Amino acid sequence: MTDSSSDAPKTPAAPNASGGQAIWGGRFSDKPAELMQAINVSIGFDRRLAAQDLAGSRAHAAMLQKTGIITSADAEAILAGLETIGQEIAAGSFPFREEFEDIHMNVEARLRELIGPAAGRLHTARSRNDQIALDFRMWVREACDRTAAQIRALQKALLAKAEVHAATVMPGFTHLQPAQPVTFGHHLMAYVEMFGRDASRFADARARMNESPLGAAALAGSPFPIDRSMTARALGFDRPAANSLDAVADRDFALEALAAATICAVHLSRLAEEIVIWMTPQFGFITLSDAFTTGSSIMPQKKNPDAAELVRAKVGRLLGSFTQLAVVMKGLPLTYSKDMQEDKVPTFEAFDALDLSLAAMAGMVADMQPVVDTMAKAAGAGYSTATDLADWLVRELDLPFRDAHHITGAAVKRAEQLGCDLPGLPIDELQALDPRITGSVYQVLTPAASVASRTSHGGTAPDQVRAQIKRWKEVLA
């Protein structure tokens, strides 16, 4: 996808419809070797850029007409031909042909078949270098918008589930060991925050990429009196890119979008892992319907959370795509090299995987049902209210926290010896540790009491959870 000169002549050498002279063939006597053709052709994947390519060509043709570079008659013929090509692509009847290498040359060849020599004027004052930079940038921009919308849908699914279960008690974990009781709603809201940051990363990336490379031509700009601001506005960009070399060489926009996608996939993978764990009989915290599970070919009792497992695995594909493009770009001198043709496949694959993962996760969140009694029972396991006992000693007996921590540790040890939990530890055992302890201490030793006490901003108390749900509903409205 590269031109060898900064500007094509007004009437470039024409490919014939039967696959004759290449668009760049004036310099060459022989056809490329079959292997060269095989490694060079990109139409198999860059056909996905057809809509962006047509949009860029329409904007370029309109600008060429307004600036007087081409006649109104030629511009009208070009625009009519592009409209026909768009209809053919939409109908699935467009003849994509490998002999024309890429989406740009396929469109131009078909345009020549439709309108004749006037088609050759469309490439005036542009190169395939700025053309592909434009098409790809527009595609990534649209992918960011699409992903942001999917993230919002997932956040809304999480919000709906969290609102129903704002007070449903479950164990909170550190090191995957019982730590302190939290609510299921609070746990889900943690992911709302994560995905909110993901959405903001895509928005930031989109803002930075929203400069048009069109008009940079091959690398040096154009001697024609083009209006780059006109084409930038027509294509929804904030401004034209300020440096023609950077405009055709830049793939930061794709790298940044892939970085945001990878982080988002990491968050999806963490939630998927929790769904897998929660589904095990050892936890039994949630159920998923048949819609998001599969069975075993040999074990009839199995109900596997395959959708979650597949989402969990997709992060490898996205991280691989980011790494692949970073490696492609890391040693390239300015400006364009054919290496950059390798930018599109990993980006397409990454966003395909992310689109599917976000949709699957939103479906699973809406589908999953917590097993409330099991969660509540587990919330009290592992002496999870020990910190509440220490806090009570600080508040009621005015002990330094480190002293309270030591007494609580001794209480846990004694409960282990007696085979009971903290709420079941007799008062005389507690008073043996500090005689000032009273029976009121038991009011803070249940998981529900622990959860209700965490009223600091962002805490797990149900009222705090509901406040955050309300805030996010307003943000996403």
Side-chain angles (χ1 to χ4, degrees):
M1 296 185 185
T2 177
D3 270 347
S4 58
S5 60
S6 61
D7 278 296
K10 276 197 170 187
T11 309
N16 69 43
S18 62
Q21 186 180 30
I23 197 72
W24 39 262
R27 170 66 176 81
F28 293 80
S29 301
D30 296 323
K31 292 182 179 180
E34 288 186 11
L35 279 174
M36 179 59 199
Q37 180 75 353
I39 198 173
N40 189 51
V41 168
S42 62
I43 189 60
F45 55 84
D46 69 20
R47 62 196 296 168
R48 290 183 65 162
L49 299 173
Q52 293 78 17
D53 198 71
L54 290 171
S57 290
R58 285 192 293 268
H60 188 66
M63 180 276 296
L64 293 176
Q65 177 188 5
K66 184 175 180 181
T67 54
I69 297 171
I70 65 174
T71 66
S72 295
D74 283 342
E76 289 171 6
I78 289 168
L79 291 171
L82 293 173
E83 178 67 23
T84 298
I85 290 170
Q87 293 170 356
E88 290 178 346
I89 291 173
S93 60
F94 182 83
F96 291 106
R97 289 171 286 191
E98 286 193 354
E99 61 263 34
F100 298 127
E101 295 184 18
D102 57 32
I103 185 61
H104 322 303
M105 294 299 96
N106 267 266
V107 168
E108 185 170 329
R110 180 62 178 146
L111 187 64
R112 176 172 284 270
E113 291 173 352
L114 292 170
I115 69 170
R121 299 193 182 279
L122 176 59
H123 207 55
T124 306
R126 75 174 182 184
S127 157
R128 281 190 291 175
N129 292 359
D130 63 338
Q131 197 174 355
I132 188 53
L134 172 71
D135 293 359
F136 191 37
R137 190 176 292 245
M138 290 174 66
W139 190 96
V140 174
R141 183 178 66 179
E142 292 166 16
C144 288
D145 291 342
R146 185 175 62 251
T147 302
Q150 286 190 289
I151 289 172
R152 287 194 296 272
L154 174 54
Q155 287 180 295
K156 289 178 180 179
L158 288 162
L159 283 173
K161 193 70 67 175
E163 188 168 28
V164 175
H165 295 284
T168 297
V169 178
M170 69 174 290
F173 297 92
T174 61
H175 310 278
L176 203 56
Q177 300 296 314
Q180 293 176 287
V182 296
T183 73
F184 188 50
H186 190 54
H187 195 110
L188 296 179
M189 289 302 295
Y191 286 100
V192 173
E193 295 288 338
M194 291 185 207
F195 293 123
R197 292 192 296 274
D198 290 329
S200 71
R201 273 183 280 271
F202 282 110
D204 289 345
R206 190 195 194 286
R208 266 183 292 279
M209 74 177 65
N210 209 34
E211 296 183 344
S212 172
L214 187 59
L219 76 164
S222 173
F224 292 94
I226 59 175
D227 186 344
R228 294 190 61 211
S229 294
M230 176 183 172
T231 51
R233 286 192 303 271
L235 295 169
F237 290 99
D238 295 330
R239 64 192 71 84
N243 183 283
S244 62
L245 299 172
D246 180 54
V248 299
D250 170 39
R251 291 300 182 270
D252 291 2
F253 62 90
L255 280 167
E256 189 171 6
L258 287 173
T262 301
I263 296 171
C264 183
V266 168
H267 292 154
L268 287 167
S269 184
R270 294 183 73 178
L271 179 52
E273 169 70 0
E274 297 207 289
I275 290 173
V276 171
I277 292 172
W278 293 342
M279 276 280 290
T280 63
Q282 290 79 7
F283 274 74
F285 284 2
I286 66 166
T287 62
L288 283 173
S289 76
D290 295 351
F292 291 96
T293 55
T294 65
S296 165
S297 65
I298 188 172
M299 295 170 286
Q301 83 281 10
K302 294 296 293 296
K303 190 172 187 180
N304 300 321
D306 283 7
E309 292 170 7
L310 290 165
V311 168
R312 182 177 60 185
K314 294 295 185 187
V315 66
R317 187 182 294 259
L318 278 98
L319 178 57
S321 294
F322 172 80
T323 303
Q324 182 178 342
L325 182 54
V327 170
V328 166
M329 298 303 298
K330 72 172 182 63
L332 294 186
L334 295 180
T335 56
Y336 186 94
S337 296
K338 199 66 177 242
D339 311 48
M340 291 164 69
Q341 184 166 289
E342 295 298 313
D343 57 0
K344 281 162 282 300
V345 170
T347 305
F348 293 159
E349 289 182 348
F351 277 96
D352 287 348
L354 186 58
D355 286 352
L356 184 58
S357 296
L358 284 165
M361 184 57 72
M364 280 186 285
V365 168
D367 182 76
M368 69 181 178
Q369 295 300 323
V371 183
V372 175
D373 292 342
T374 302
M375 281 186 171
K377 183 178 180 181
Y383 308 101
S384 65
T385 57
T387 305
D388 297 277
L389 172 56
D391 290 342
W392 185 91
L393 293 171
V394 170
R395 288 195 310 271
E396 301 299 326
L397 305 186
D398 197 27
L399 287 177
F401 183 79
R402 284 300 166 204
D403 293 346
H405 187 283
H406 181 78
I407 291 171
T408 300
V412 169
K413 182 177 181 180
R414 185 57 179 155
E416 285 180 328
Q417 292 169 345
L418 296 175
C420 64
D421 56 16
L422 279 179
L425 191 62
I427 187 64
D428 60 322
E429 295 287 349
L430 289 169
Q431 288 175 341
L433 301 172
D434 191 307
R436 295 174 294 170
I437 296 176
T438 67
S440 64
V441 71
Y442 293 106
Q443 296 175 8
V444 304
L445 296 184
T446 66
S450 174
V451 163
S453 71
R454 308 291 165 178
T455 56
S456 58
H457 179 77
T460 193
D463 285 347
Q464 281 295 319
V465 175
R466 294 185 183 102
Q468 294 304 320
I469 291 170
K470 181 177 183 293
R471 176 177 70 86
W472 270 106
K473 280 186 171 181
E474 292 170 353
V475 170
L476 296 175

